[in-house]
Structure formats: structure tokens, C-alpha cells
Coordinates of all heavy atoms in Angstrom, one line a residue:
M1 N 0.9 -1.2 0.0 CA 0.0 0.0 0.0 C 0.9 1.2 0.0 O 1.9 1.3 0.7 CB -0.9 0.0 1.3 CG -1.7 1.2 1.4 SD -2.9 1.2 2.7 CE -1.9 1.3 4.1
S2 N 0.5 2.2 -0.8 CA 1.3 3.4 -0.9 C 0.3 4.7 -0.8 O -0.8 4.6 -1.4 CB 2.0 3.5 -2.1 OG 2.6 4.8 -2.3
A3 N 0.7 5.7 0.0 CA -0.1 6.9 0.0 C 0.3 7.9 -1.0 O -0.3 8.9 -1.2 CB 0.1 7.5 1.4
E4 N 1.4 7.5 -1.8 CA 1.8 8.4 -2.8 C 1.1 8.1 -4.1 O 0.9 7.0 -4.5 CB 3.3 8.3 -3.0 CG 4.1 8.5 -1.8 CD 4.0 10.0 -1.4 OE1 4.0 10.9 -2.2 OE2 4.0 10.2 -0.1
H5 N 0.6 9.2 -4.8 CA 0.0 9.0 -6.1 C 0.0 10.4 -6.7 O 0.2 11.4 -6.1 CB -1.4 8.5 -5.9 CG -2.3 9.5 -5.4 ND1 -3.2 10.2 -6.2 CD2 -2.5 9.9 -4.2 CE1 -3.9 11.0 -5.5 NE2 -3.5 10.9 -4.2
G6 N -0.3 10.4 -8.0 CA -0.2 11.6 -8.8 C -1.7 11.9 -9.2 O -2.6 11.1 -9.2
A7 N -1.8 13.2 -9.6 CA -3.2 13.6 -10.1 C -3.6 12.7 -11.3 O -2.8 12.4 -12.1 CB -3.1 15.1 -10.6
G8 N -4.8 12.3 -11.3 CA -5.3 11.5 -12.4 C -5.1 10.0 -12.1 O -5.7 9.2 -12.8
D9 N -4.3 9.6 -11.1 CA -4.2 8.2 -10.7 C -5.5 7.8 -10.0 O -6.2 8.6 -9.5 CB -3.0 8.0 -9.7 CG -1.7 8.2 -10.4 OD1 -1.6 8.3 -11.6 OD2 -0.7 8.3 -9.7
P10 N -5.8 6.5 -10.0 CA -6.9 6.0 -9.2 C -6.8 6.4 -7.8 O -5.7 6.6 -7.3 CB -6.9 4.5 -9.5 CG -5.8 4.2 -10.3 CD -5.0 5.4 -10.6
A11 N -7.9 6.4 -7.1 CA -7.9 6.7 -5.7 C -6.9 5.7 -4.9 O -7.0 4.5 -5.3 CB -9.2 6.6 -5.1
P12 N -6.1 6.2 -4.0 CA -5.2 5.3 -3.4 C -5.9 4.4 -2.4 O -7.1 4.6 -2.0 CB -4.3 6.2 -2.6 CG -5.2 7.4 -2.3 CD -6.1 7.5 -3.5
D13 N -5.2 3.4 -1.9 CA -5.7 2.6 -0.8 C -6.0 3.5 0.3 O -5.3 4.5 0.5 CB -4.7 1.5 -0.5 CG -4.6 0.4 -1.5 OD1 -5.5 0.3 -2.3 OD2 -3.5 -0.2 -1.6
P14 N -6.9 3.1 1.2 CA -7.1 4.0 2.4 C -5.9 4.1 3.2 O -5.1 3.2 3.3 CB -8.3 3.3 3.1 CG -8.2 1.9 2.6 CD -7.7 1.9 1.2
V15 N -5.7 5.3 3.9 CA -4.7 5.4 4.9 C -5.4 5.4 6.2 O -5.9 6.4 6.6 CB -3.9 6.8 4.6 CG1 -2.8 6.9 5.6 CG2 -3.4 6.8 3.2
P16 N -5.3 4.3 6.9 CA -6.0 4.2 8.2 C -5.5 5.1 9.3 O -4.4 5.7 9.0 CB -5.9 2.8 8.6 CG -4.7 2.2 7.8 CD -4.6 3.1 6.6
G17 N -6.2 5.2 10.3 CA -5.9 6.1 11.4 C -4.6 5.8 12.2 O -3.6 5.3 11.7
P18 N -4.8 5.9 13.5 CA -3.6 5.8 14.4 C -2.8 4.5 14.4 O -1.7 4.5 14.9 CB -4.2 6.1 15.8 CG -5.5 6.8 15.5 CD -6.0 6.3 14.2
T19 N -3.3 3.5 13.8 CA -2.6 2.2 13.9 C -1.5 2.2 12.8 O -0.6 1.4 12.8 CB -3.5 1.0 13.7 OG1 -4.1 1.1 12.5 CG2 -4.4 0.9 14.9
A20 N -1.5 3.2 11.9 CA -0.6 3.2 10.8 C 0.8 3.7 11.2 O 1.0 4.1 12.3 CB -1.1 4.0 9.7
M21 N 1.8 3.6 10.3 CA 3.1 4.0 10.6 C 3.2 5.5 11.0 O 2.6 6.3 10.3 CB 4.0 3.8 9.4 CG 4.3 2.4 9.1 SD 5.5 2.2 7.7 CE 5.9 3.7 7.2
P22 N 3.8 5.9 12.1 CA 4.0 7.3 12.4 C 5.0 7.9 11.4 O 5.7 7.3 10.8 CB 4.6 7.3 13.8 CG 5.2 6.0 13.9 CD 4.5 5.0 13.0
G23 N 4.8 9.2 11.2 CA 5.7 9.9 10.3 C 6.1 11.3 10.9 O 5.6 11.7 11.9
P24 N 7.1 11.9 10.3 CA 7.7 13.1 10.9 C 7.0 14.3 10.5 O 7.3 15.4 11.0 CB 9.1 13.1 10.3 CG 8.9 12.4 9.0 CD 7.9 11.4 9.2
G25 N 6.0 14.3 9.6 CA 5.4 15.5 9.1 C 4.4 16.3 10.0 O 4.5 17.5 10.1
A26 N 3.5 15.6 10.6 CA 2.5 16.3 11.4 C 3.1 17.2 12.5 O 3.9 16.7 13.2 CB 1.5 15.3 12.0
G27 N 2.7 18.4 12.5 CA 3.2 19.3 13.5 C 4.6 19.8 13.3 O 5.2 20.4 14.2
S28 N 5.2 19.5 12.2 CA 6.6 19.7 12.0 C 7.0 21.1 11.5 O 8.1 21.5 11.4 CB 7.2 18.7 11.0 OG 6.7 18.9 9.7
G29 N 5.9 21.9 11.1 CA 6.2 23.2 10.5 C 6.4 23.1 9.0 O 6.7 24.1 8.4
E30 N 6.4 22.0 8.5 CA 6.6 21.8 7.0 C 5.4 22.3 6.3 O 4.2 22.4 6.9 CB 6.6 20.3 6.7 CG 7.8 19.5 7.3 CD 9.0 19.5 6.5 OE1 8.9 19.5 5.3 OE2 10.1 19.5 7.1
P31 N 5.5 22.8 5.1 CA 4.4 23.2 4.3 C 3.3 22.2 4.2 O 3.7 21.0 4.1 CB 4.9 23.6 2.9 CG 6.4 23.8 3.1 CD 6.7 22.9 4.3
V32 N 2.1 22.5 4.3 CA 1.0 21.6 4.2 C 0.5 21.5 2.7 O 0.3 22.5 2.1 CB -0.2 22.0 5.1 CG1 -1.4 21.1 4.9 CG2 0.2 22.1 6.6
T33 N 0.3 20.3 2.3 CA -0.3 20.1 1.0 C -1.6 19.2 1.2 O -1.6 18.3 2.0 CB 0.6 19.4 0.0 OG1 1.0 18.1 0.4 CG2 1.8 20.2 -0.3
I34 N -2.6 19.5 0.4 CA -3.8 18.7 0.4 C -4.1 18.3 -1.0 O -4.2 19.1 -1.9 CB -5.0 19.5 1.0 CG1 -4.7 20.0 2.4 CG2 -6.3 18.7 0.9 CD1 -5.8 20.9 3.0
T35 N -4.1 17.0 -1.2 CA -4.4 16.4 -2.5 C -5.7 15.9 -2.6 O -6.1 15.0 -1.8 CB -3.3 15.3 -2.8 OG1 -2.0 15.9 -2.7 CG2 -3.5 14.8 -4.2
V36 N -6.5 16.3 -3.6 CA -7.9 15.8 -3.8 C -7.8 14.6 -4.6 O -7.4 14.6 -5.8 CB -8.7 16.8 -4.4 CG1 -10.2 16.2 -4.6 CG2 -8.8 18.1 -3.6
C37 N -8.1 13.4 -4.1 CA -8.1 12.1 -4.9 C -9.3 12.1 -5.6 O -10.5 12.3 -5.1 CB -7.9 10.9 -3.9 SG -6.4 10.9 -3.0
P38 N -9.3 11.7 -6.9 CA -10.5 11.6 -7.7 C -11.4 10.5 -7.1 O -11.1 9.4 -6.8 CB -10.0 11.1 -9.1 CG -8.5 11.4 -9.1 CD -8.1 11.4 -7.7
D39 N -12.6 11.0 -6.8 CA -13.6 10.1 -6.2 C -13.2 9.4 -4.9 O -13.6 8.3 -4.6 CB -14.2 9.1 -7.2 CG -14.8 9.8 -8.4 OD1 -15.3 10.9 -8.3 OD2 -14.6 9.2 -9.5
G40 N -12.3 10.1 -4.2 CA -11.7 9.5 -2.9 C -11.4 10.5 -1.9 O -12.0 11.6 -1.9
P41 N -10.5 10.2 -1.0 CA -10.2 11.1 0.2 C -9.4 12.3 -0.2 O -8.9 12.4 -1.3 CB -9.5 10.2 1.1 CG -8.7 9.2 0.2 CD -9.7 9.0 -1.0
L42 N -9.2 13.1 0.8 CA -8.2 14.2 0.7 C -7.0 13.8 1.4 O -7.0 13.3 2.6 CB -8.8 15.4 1.5 CG -10.1 16.0 1.0 CD1 -10.6 17.1 1.9 CD2 -10.0 16.5 -0.5
L43 N -5.9 13.8 0.8 CA -4.6 13.4 1.3 C -3.9 14.6 1.9 O -3.7 15.6 1.2 CB -3.7 12.7 0.3 CG -4.1 11.4 -0.2 CD1 -3.1 10.8 -1.2 CD2 -4.4 10.4 0.9
V44 N -3.6 14.6 3.2 CA -3.0 15.8 3.8 C -1.6 15.4 4.2 O -1.4 14.4 4.9 CB -3.8 16.2 5.1 CG1 -3.2 17.5 5.7 CG2 -5.3 16.5 4.7
R45 N -0.6 16.2 3.8 CA 0.8 16.0 4.2 C 1.4 17.3 4.7 O 1.0 18.4 4.4 CB 1.6 15.6 2.8 CG 1.1 14.4 2.2 CD 1.9 14.1 0.9 NE 1.6 12.9 0.2 CZ 0.7 12.9 -0.8 NH1 0.2 14.0 -1.3 NH2 0.5 11.8 -1.4
G46 N 2.5 17.1 5.4 CA 3.2 18.2 5.9 C 3.0 18.5 7.3 O 2.7 17.6 8.1
G47 N 3.1 19.8 7.7 CA 3.1 20.2 9.1 C 1.7 20.6 9.6 O 1.4 21.5 10.3
Y48 N 0.7 19.7 9.2 CA -0.7 20.0 9.6 C -1.0 19.7 11.1 O -0.2 19.0 11.7 CB -1.7 19.2 8.7 CG -1.5 17.7 9.0 CD1 -2.2 17.1 10.0 CD2 -0.6 16.9 8.1 CE1 -2.0 15.7 10.2 CE2 -0.5 15.6 8.4 CZ -1.2 15.0 9.4 OH -1.0 13.6 9.6
E49 N -2.0 20.3 11.5 CA -2.5 19.9 12.9 C -4.0 19.5 12.7 O -4.8 20.3 12.1 CB -2.4 21.0 13.9 CG -2.9 20.6 15.3 CD -2.7 21.7 16.3 OE1 -2.4 22.9 15.9 OE2 -2.8 21.4 17.5
L50 N -4.4 18.3 13.1 CA -5.7 17.8 12.9 C -6.5 18.1 14.2 O -6.1 17.7 15.3 CB -5.7 16.3 12.6 CG -7.0 15.7 12.2 CD1 -7.6 16.3 10.9 CD2 -6.7 14.2 11.9
L51 N -7.7 18.8 14.1 CA -8.5 19.1 15.3 C -9.9 18.6 15.2 O -10.4 18.5 14.0 CB -8.5 20.6 15.5 CG -7.2 21.4 15.5 CD1 -7.5 22.9 15.6 CD2 -6.4 21.0 16.8
D52 N -10.5 18.2 16.3 CA -11.9 17.8 16.3 C -12.8 19.0 16.3 O -12.3 20.1 16.2 CB -12.2 16.8 17.4 CG -12.2 17.4 18.7 OD1 -12.2 18.7 18.9 OD2 -12.2 16.6 19.7
G53 N -14.1 18.7 16.4 CA -15.1 19.8 16.3 C -15.0 20.8 17.5 O -15.6 21.9 17.5
D54 N -14.3 20.4 18.5 CA -14.1 21.3 19.7 C -12.7 21.8 19.8 O -12.3 22.2 20.9 CB -14.4 20.5 21.0 CG -15.9 20.1 21.0 OD1 -16.7 20.9 20.7 OD2 -16.2 19.0 21.4
D55 N -12.0 21.8 18.7 CA -10.6 22.3 18.5 C -9.6 21.5 19.4 O -8.6 22.0 19.7 CB -10.5 23.8 18.9 CG -11.1 24.6 17.8 OD1 -11.2 24.1 16.6 OD2 -11.5 25.8 18.1
R56 N -10.0 20.2 19.8 CA -9.0 19.4 20.4 C -8.2 18.6 19.4 O -8.7 18.1 18.5 CB -9.7 18.4 21.4 CG -10.4 19.1 22.5 CD -11.1 18.1 23.3 NE -12.1 17.4 22.5 CZ -13.4 17.0 22.9 NH1 -13.7 17.3 24.2 NH2 -14.2 16.4 22.1
P57 N -6.9 18.5 19.7 CA -6.0 17.8 18.7 C -6.4 16.3 18.6 O -6.7 15.7 19.5 CB -4.6 18.0 19.3 CG -4.7 19.0 20.3 CD -6.1 19.1 20.8
I58 N -6.3 15.9 17.4 CA -6.5 14.4 17.1 C -5.1 14.0 16.6 O -4.5 14.5 15.7 CB -7.5 14.2 15.9 CG1 -8.9 14.6 16.3 CG2 -7.5 12.7 15.5 CD1 -9.9 14.6 15.2
D59 N -4.6 13.0 17.3 CA -3.3 12.4 16.9 C -3.4 11.5 15.7 O -4.0 10.4 15.8 CB -2.6 11.6 18.1 CG -1.3 11.1 17.7 OD1 -0.7 11.4 16.6 OD2 -0.7 10.3 18.6
P60 N -2.9 11.9 14.5 CA -3.1 11.0 13.4 C -2.2 9.9 13.4 O -2.4 8.9 12.6 CB -2.8 12.0 12.2 CG -1.9 13.0 12.8 CD -2.2 13.2 14.2
G61 N -1.1 10.0 14.1 CA -0.1 8.9 14.2 C 0.7 8.6 13.0 O 1.3 7.6 12.8
R62 N 0.7 9.6 12.1 CA 1.4 9.4 10.8 C 1.6 10.8 10.2 O 1.0 11.8 10.5 CB 0.6 8.5 9.9 CG -0.7 9.0 9.6 CD -1.5 8.3 8.5 NE -1.3 6.9 8.6 CZ -0.8 6.1 7.6 NH1 -0.5 6.6 6.5 NH2 -0.7 4.8 7.8
A63 N 2.5 10.8 9.2 CA 2.8 12.1 8.5 C 1.8 12.4 7.4 O 1.5 13.6 7.2 CB 4.2 12.0 7.8
T64 N 1.2 11.4 6.8 CA 0.2 11.6 5.8 C -1.1 11.0 6.2 O -1.1 9.8 6.6 CB 0.6 11.0 4.4 OG1 1.9 11.7 4.0 CG2 -0.4 11.2 3.3
V65 N -2.2 11.7 6.1 CA -3.5 11.2 6.4 C -4.4 11.3 5.2 O -4.3 12.3 4.5 CB -4.1 11.8 7.7 CG1 -3.4 11.4 8.9 CG2 -4.3 13.3 7.5
A66 N -5.3 10.4 5.1 CA -6.4 10.4 4.1 C -7.7 10.7 4.8 O -8.1 10.0 5.7 CB -6.5 9.1 3.4
L67 N -8.3 11.9 4.5 CA -9.5 12.3 5.2 C -10.7 12.0 4.3 O -10.7 12.3 3.2 CB -9.5 13.8 5.5 CG -8.4 14.3 6.4 CD1 -8.4 15.8 6.7 CD2 -8.4 13.5 7.8
C68 N -11.7 11.4 4.9 CA -12.9 11.0 4.2 C -13.7 12.2 3.8 O -13.9 13.2 4.5 CB -13.8 10.2 5.1 SG -15.4 9.7 4.4
R69 N -14.1 12.2 2.5 CA -15.0 13.2 2.0 C -16.3 12.7 1.4 O -17.1 13.4 0.9 CB -14.3 14.2 1.0 CG -13.9 13.6 -0.3 CD -13.3 14.7 -1.1 NE -12.8 14.1 -2.4 CZ -13.0 14.6 -3.6 NH1 -13.6 15.7 -3.7 NH2 -12.5 14.0 -4.6
C70 N -16.4 11.3 1.6 CA -17.7 10.7 1.0 C -18.7 10.5 2.1 O -19.9 10.3 1.8 CB -17.3 9.4 0.4 SG -17.0 8.0 1.5
G71 N -18.3 10.5 3.4 CA -19.2 10.3 4.5 C -19.5 8.9 4.8 O -20.2 8.6 5.8
A72 N -18.9 7.9 4.1 CA -19.2 6.5 4.4 C -18.2 5.8 5.3 O -18.4 4.7 5.7 CB -19.2 5.7 3.1
S73 N -17.1 6.4 5.7 CA -16.1 5.8 6.5 C -16.6 5.5 7.9 O -17.3 6.3 8.5 CB -14.8 6.7 6.6 OG -13.9 6.2 7.4
S74 N -16.1 4.4 8.4 CA -16.5 4.0 9.8 C -15.4 4.5 10.8 O -15.5 4.2 11.9 CB -16.6 2.5 9.9 OG -15.4 1.8 9.6
I75 N -14.3 5.1 10.2 CA -13.3 5.6 11.1 C -13.1 7.1 10.9 O -11.9 7.6 10.9 CB -12.0 4.8 10.9 CG1 -11.5 4.9 9.5 CG2 -12.1 3.4 11.5 CD1 -10.1 4.4 9.3
K76 N -14.2 7.9 10.6 CA -14.1 9.3 10.4 C -13.3 9.9 11.5 O -13.4 9.5 12.7 CB -15.5 9.9 10.4 CG -16.3 9.5 9.2 CD -17.6 10.2 9.2 CE -18.6 9.6 8.2 NZ -19.3 8.4 8.7
P77 N -12.4 10.9 11.2 CA -12.4 11.6 9.9 C -11.5 11.0 8.9 O -11.3 11.5 7.8 CB -11.8 13.0 10.4 CG -10.8 12.6 11.4 CD -11.5 11.5 12.2
F78 N -11.0 9.7 9.2 CA -10.1 9.1 8.3 C -10.9 8.3 7.2 O -12.0 7.8 7.5 CB -9.1 8.2 9.0 CG -8.4 8.9 10.1 CD1 -8.7 8.8 11.4 CD2 -7.4 9.8 9.8 CE1 -8.0 9.5 12.4 CE2 -6.7 10.5 10.7 CZ -7.0 10.4 12.0
C79 N -10.3 8.1 6.1 CA -10.8 7.3 5.0 C -10.5 5.8 5.4 O -9.4 5.5 5.8 CB -10.2 7.7 3.7 SG -10.4 6.5 2.3
D80 N -11.5 4.9 5.2 CA -11.2 3.5 5.4 C -11.4 2.7 4.1 O -11.5 1.5 4.1 CB -12.1 2.9 6.5 CG -13.6 2.9 6.2 OD1 -14.0 3.4 5.1 OD2 -14.4 2.4 7.0
G81 N -11.6 3.4 3.0 CA -11.7 2.8 1.7 C -13.2 2.5 1.3 O -13.5 2.1 0.2
S82 N -14.1 2.9 2.2 CA -15.6 2.7 1.9 C -16.1 3.5 0.8 O -17.1 3.1 0.2 CB -16.4 3.1 3.2 OG -16.1 2.2 4.3
H83 N -15.3 4.5 0.3 CA -15.8 5.3 -0.8 C -15.9 4.4 -2.1 O -16.7 4.7 -3.0 CB -14.9 6.5 -1.1 CG -13.4 6.1 -1.3 ND1 -12.5 6.0 -0.3 CD2 -12.8 5.8 -2.5 CE1 -11.4 5.6 -0.8 NE2 -11.5 5.6 -2.1
K84 N -15.0 3.4 -2.1 CA -15.1 2.5 -3.3 C -16.4 1.7 -3.3 O -17.1 1.6 -4.3 CB -13.9 1.6 -3.3 CG -12.6 2.3 -3.6 CD -11.4 1.4 -3.5 CE -10.1 2.2 -3.6 NZ -8.9 1.3 -3.4
R85 N -16.7 1.1 -2.2 CA -18.0 0.3 -2.0 C -19.2 1.2 -2.2 O -20.2 0.8 -2.8 CB -18.0 -0.3 -0.6 CG -19.1 -1.4 -0.5 CD -19.0 -2.1 0.8 NE -18.8 -1.3 2.0 CZ -17.7 -1.2 2.7 NH1 -16.6 -1.9 2.3 NH2 -17.6 -0.5 3.7
A86 N -19.1 2.5 -1.7 CA -20.2 3.4 -1.9 C -20.3 4.0 -3.2 O -21.2 4.7 -3.6 CB -20.1 4.5 -0.8
R87 N -19.3 3.7 -4.1 CA -19.2 4.3 -5.4 C -19.3 5.8 -5.4 O -20.0 6.4 -6.2 CB -20.2 3.7 -6.4 CG -20.1 2.2 -6.5 CD -21.0 1.6 -7.5 NE -20.7 0.2 -7.6 CZ -21.4 -0.6 -8.4 NH1 -22.4 -0.2 -9.1 NH2 -21.1 -1.9 -8.4
F88 N -18.6 6.4 -4.4 CA -18.6 7.9 -4.3 C -18.1 8.5 -5.6 O -17.0 8.1 -6.1 CB -17.7 8.3 -3.1 CG -17.5 9.7 -3.0 CD1 -18.6 10.6 -2.6 CD2 -16.2 10.3 -3.1 CE1 -18.4 11.9 -2.5 CE2 -16.1 11.6 -3.0 CZ -17.1 12.5 -2.6
R89 N -18.8 9.5 -6.0 CA -18.4 10.3 -7.2 C -18.4 11.8 -6.7 O -19.4 12.3 -6.3 CB -19.3 10.1 -8.4 CG -19.3 8.8 -8.9 CD -18.0 8.5 -9.6 NE -17.9 7.1 -10.1 CZ -17.2 6.1 -9.4 NH1 -16.6 6.4 -8.3 NH2 -17.1 4.9 -9.9
A90 N -17.2 12.4 -6.9 CA -17.1 13.8 -6.5 C -17.7 14.8 -7.5 O -17.9 16.0 -7.2 CB -15.6 14.1 -6.2
R91 N -17.8 14.3 -8.7 CA -18.3 15.2 -9.8 C -19.7 14.8 -10.2 O -20.2 13.8 -10.0 CB -17.4 15.1 -11.0 CG -16.0 15.3 -10.7 CD -15.1 15.0 -11.8 NE -13.8 14.5 -11.3 CZ -13.4 13.2 -11.2 NH1 -14.2 12.3 -11.6 NH2 -12.3 12.9 -10.7
Ligands
FES101 S1 -13.4 9.1 1.1 FE1 -12.7 7.1 1.6 S2 -14.2 6.3 3.0 FE2 -14.9 8.3 2.5

């Protein structure tokens, strides 16, 4: 499984939440990039900080996270790959 992909590539495999490999990016001060996966999640990389609805930090446990934008994930805010089963279409 790889979280790296380019524009136009198929949606990547899901990047699960805190059980995944930790990475050095989150909170590092690195520039943040958000990649919109076609019909899939938003991949967030760099020095982001992830907060819940009450502005409390969520530990992503990794440098790159995939955030669900289809609403079908069972591990929100993270993508669990359910967008494929739900046949999510962003357009
Ligand atoms: S975008 Fe992947 S489960 Fe929602």
C-alpha cells in the first residue's frame, strides 16, 4: 500500500488512522499540501494539525493522512476505503 500518487491516478488505498506508521510530518512546521483524490479522500501531508469539532487535537499517528469526504467511512475523519464500495463520485 502506498499513500503516494499523482493527479489522475486512481484513488489510493485508504490510509487508516492511528494504527498506521507514524511519520515526521504532522506538526513539523513543514508546508501543508492537500491532494484531492479523484472520487476518494483528501490526502494531507506536511506540518498540519488535525483538530476535532471542539478544537481538540487528534493524533493522526502518521505524516500523511487520508480524510474521508464521502461520508461512508467507519473511522471518520479518516478514510477507510468505503468510498469505493459506496461508489462515491465527487463530480
Ligand atoms: S473518502 Fe474514503 S471512505 Fe470516505
Side-chain angles (χ1 to χ4, degrees):
M1 175 171 76
S2 172
E4 299 297 324
H5 73 100
D9 290 346
D13 291 335
V15 181
T19 58
M21 289 182 1
S28 68
E30 302 268 330
V32 176
T33 62
I34 300 174
T35 304
V36 179
C37 297
D39 301 328
L42 302 174
L43 295 183
V44 183
R45 299 179 178 95
Y48 64 87
E49 183 177 13
L50 188 60
L51 304 174
D52 70 12
D54 295 319
D55 289 338
R56 293 178 300 218
I58 298 172
D59 180 5
R62 58 172 43 237
T64 299
V65 292
L67 299 179
C68 176
R69 68 178 173 135
C70 77
S73 175
S74 61
I75 57 168
K76 294 181 191 86
F78 304 104
C79 169
D80 68 357
S82 294
H83 58 272
K84 293 177 185 173
R85 189 174 49 254
R87 298 183 179 182
F88 173 67
R89 295 290 173 258
R91 304 170 211 102

